[in-house]
Amino acid sequence: MQSYAIGQAARLLGVSPDTARRWADAGRVATHRDETGRRLIDGRALAAFSIEVGQGAAGEEETPYTSARNAFPGIVTAVKLGDVAAQVEIQAGPHRLVSLLTREAVEELGLEVGMQATARVKSTSVHIDRT
């Protein structure tokens, strides 16, 4: 499973690295250290926490997240596979995006909860890029 450095997690959550560090220090999201001593957040834990932050449970410290050119970098929080179709949810800062696409596309991208991805919005379609 992918893990994220504090700075990466902050960008995905739409907050400053200092805010992400304070949340980790307060035990709001669990961290572990890699072999070099860097603090990392497990992808699944970050996905769950991003939902909490997106629902407004983060308090008044939240920084609004804005996208440039309709790209929403975030973290995959849910993948629901059907026989032919699939549904992928991404939490991008305070924004929750849901995309309906083929199961084949999800499998080709290797999308799973906790992984970083970018939702691109054009008209009424949301396209997912693995990053």
Coordinates of all heavy atoms in Angstrom, one line a residue, residues 13-15 61-66 93-95:
L13 N -4.9 17.0 1.0 CA -6.0 17.4 1.9 C -6.4 18.9 1.7 O -7.4 19.4 2.2 CB -5.6 17.2 3.4 CG -5.4 15.8 3.8 CD1 -4.7 15.7 5.2 CD2 -6.8 15.1 3.9
G14 N -5.5 19.6 0.9 CA -5.8 21.0 0.7 C -5.5 21.9 1.9 O -6.1 22.9 2.1
V15 N -4.5 21.5 2.6 CA -4.0 22.3 3.8 C -2.5 22.5 3.8 O -1.8 21.9 2.9 CB -4.4 21.6 5.1 CG1 -6.0 21.5 5.2 CG2 -3.8 20.3 5.3
E61 N -9.4 25.3 11.0 CA -8.1 25.4 10.4 C -8.1 25.1 8.9 O -7.1 25.4 8.2 CB -7.1 24.4 11.0 CG -6.9 24.7 12.5 CD -5.9 23.6 13.0 OE1 -4.9 23.3 12.3 OE2 -6.1 23.2 14.1
E62 N -9.2 24.6 8.3 CA -9.2 24.3 6.9 C -8.9 25.4 6.0 O -9.3 26.5 6.2 CB -10.6 23.7 6.5 CG -10.9 22.4 7.0 CD -12.2 21.9 6.5 OE1 -12.3 21.6 5.3 OE2 -13.1 21.8 7.3
T63 N -8.1 25.1 5.0 CA -7.8 26.0 3.9 C -8.6 25.6 2.7 O -8.6 24.5 2.3 CB -6.3 26.0 3.6 OG1 -5.6 26.3 4.8 CG2 -5.9 27.0 2.5
P64 N -9.3 26.5 2.1 CA -10.1 26.1 0.9 C -9.2 25.6 -0.2 O -8.1 26.1 -0.4 CB -10.8 27.4 0.4 CG -10.4 28.5 1.3 CD -9.5 27.9 2.4
Y65 N -9.6 24.6 -0.9 CA -8.9 24.0 -2.0 C -9.4 24.5 -3.3 O -10.6 24.4 -3.5 CB -8.9 22.5 -1.9 CG -8.2 21.8 -3.0 CD1 -6.8 21.5 -2.9 CD2 -8.8 21.4 -4.2 CE1 -6.1 20.9 -3.8 CE2 -8.1 20.8 -5.2 CZ -6.7 20.5 -5.0 OH -6.0 19.9 -6.0
T66 N -8.6 24.9 -4.2 CA -9.1 25.3 -5.5 C -8.4 24.5 -6.6 O -7.2 24.1 -6.4 CB -8.8 26.8 -5.8 OG1 -7.4 27.1 -5.7 CG2 -9.5 27.7 -4.8
G93 N -9.1 17.6 -1.3 CA -9.4 18.7 -0.3 C -10.8 18.5 0.2 O -11.2 17.5 0.6
P94 N -11.6 19.6 0.2 CA -13.0 19.5 0.6 C -13.9 19.0 -0.4 O -15.1 18.8 -0.1 CB -13.3 21.0 1.0 CG -12.5 21.8 0.1 CD -11.2 21.0 -0.1
H95 N -13.4 18.6 -1.6 CA -14.3 18.2 -2.7 C -14.3 16.7 -2.8 O -13.3 16.0 -2.9 CB -13.8 18.8 -4.0 CG -13.6 20.3 -4.0 ND1 -14.6 21.2 -3.9 CD2 -12.5 21.0 -4.0 CE1 -14.2 22.4 -3.8 NE2 -12.8 22.3 -3.9

